[in-house]
Amino acid sequence: MVARHDLTTDPQLLEGLLQARRGTAFFARKLNELSDAELDGDSLLPGWTRRHVAAHIGYNARAIARLVEWAATGVETPMYASTEVRNHEISFGATLSPIALRNLFDHSAVHLNVEWRDLPADAWQHKVKTAQGRIVPAEETVWMRTREVWVHAVDLDNGATFSDIPEPILERLLNDITGAWAARGTDKNLVGRVTSRQQEQAFGDTAAVSPLEISGPLADMACWATGRATAGVTASREGKHVTPVPPAPAWI
Ligand code: ZN
């Protein structure tokens, strides 16, 4: 007998699952608004059409479902056999017929959701390995998927913006990215300021003497930090405007 509801009762995890499901529904809406012909159009990602984005999100759900299955069974099943296999899969997916591409997205999203729903409460702490080689508890898969569906919904270039992404997700996203910069030391002489919070939030090389300062509201700062666009963000050094706004350090 298959459960019709999540087996976990952890409130934080249930909230995370809700955000992942909302993001999936949001991506579905932006995808479904596009006609078959419009799928051939460019996405916001260099070299990728909207077909590539849709294929990537479909295969991403399958890859994440493999991690959830790993947590459930203890049998190691990596996200992807290799980076080449992942990239090849996306290029292949982009050539599918529109109906097959849409089915790939729909079915993979349903499958992942079933895997999450049926994962026993204790198995959410079982360790799995991400494509980047990080060892994480299975509950991290919820955030991994959340990030993908929300950000790539914007990449479909069909009217969605970072302002459509819920604030807690933008905050966590910005934390992830700036944490990666700090770990790699790529934020030297760079200070970011989020100006839309009650209390201004700063990150980066806050001890630098004359850093490049990038500031803007949360959604625009997150958009800039992911390497997408610079609208709504200003740059300055020692009080003088810097134009154009320099690109953010690489994220992934
Ligand atoms: Zn992605």
Side-chain angles (χ1 to χ4, degrees), residues 2-243:
V2 174
R4 301 267 168 87
H5 56 82
D6 292 298
L7 294 182
T8 178
T9 53
D10 176 343
Q12 208 179 336
L13 186 49
L14 288 170
E15 177 62 28
L17 284 163
L18 183 64
Q19 297 288 24
R21 287 165 180 150
R22 281 189 180 145
T24 303
F26 184 67
F27 185 95
R29 178 149 64 84
K30 300 320 286 181
L31 181 64
N32 293 338
E33 283 168 5
L34 292 165
S35 69
D36 288 351
E38 284 170 335
L39 291 177
D40 298 338
D42 287 340
S43 76
L44 295 182
L45 294 173
W48 272 20
T49 64
R50 289 163 168 154
R51 290 169 152 278
H52 289 87
V53 175
H56 167 47
I57 283 294
Y59 292 125
N60 170 264
R62 287 193 184 167
I64 289 178
R66 284 194 278 276
L67 295 187
V68 184
E69 286 159 17
W70 176 353
T73 63
V75 178
E76 179 165 348
T77 42
M79 288 184 77
Y80 303 103
S82 67
T83 308
E84 292 70 37
V85 168
R86 170 191 176 274
N87 295 343
H88 178 77
E89 197 173 50
I90 295 169
S91 326
F92 164 76
T95 67
L96 291 172
S97 69
I99 181 88
L101 194 57
R102 293 178 194 279
N103 283 338
L104 167 64
F105 167 74
D106 290 339
H107 295 169
S108 63
V110 168
H111 175 214
L112 173 58
N113 200 38
V114 168
E115 293 293 339
W116 275 336
R117 192 191 61 191
D118 295 343
L119 189 63
D122 61 325
W124 286 94
Q125 292 308 317
H126 293 178
K127 297 289 193 286
V128 293
K129 189 160 64 180
T130 71
Q132 284 81 34
R134 282 192 310 134
I135 305 292
V136 297
E139 62 184 5
E140 179 79 4
T141 59
V142 177
W143 170 241
M144 287 161 63
R145 179 64 173 171
T146 300
R147 204 169 70 174
E148 288 294 303
V149 285
W150 284 104
V151 172
H152 288 313
V154 176
D155 291 331
L156 285 174
D157 195 17
N158 182 30
T161 69
F162 273 67
S163 312
D164 292 313
I165 304 177
E167 286 204 0
I169 296 174
L170 291 173
E171 277 171 7
R172 188 162 173 188
L173 182 63
L174 198 55
N175 261 335
D176 272 16
I177 299 171
T178 58
W181 294 344
R184 293 185 205 122
T186 52
D187 60 356
K188 290 275 166 290
N189 276 311
L190 175 71
V191 171
R193 292 184 198 285
V194 176
T195 55
S196 55
R197 317 302 298 161
Q198 284 208 327
Q199 184 143 24
E200 192 180 271
Q201 257 178 334
F203 58 81
D205 194 0
T206 48
V209 179
S210 63
L212 173 69
E213 299 194 52
I214 309 283
S215 61
L218 178 61
D220 296 329
M221 286 298 283
C223 181
W224 169 79
T226 62
R228 279 161 176 80
T230 59
V233 166
T234 55
S236 64
R237 195 187 295 275
E238 292 175 344
K240 291 195 195 77
H241 271 289
V242 174
T243 50

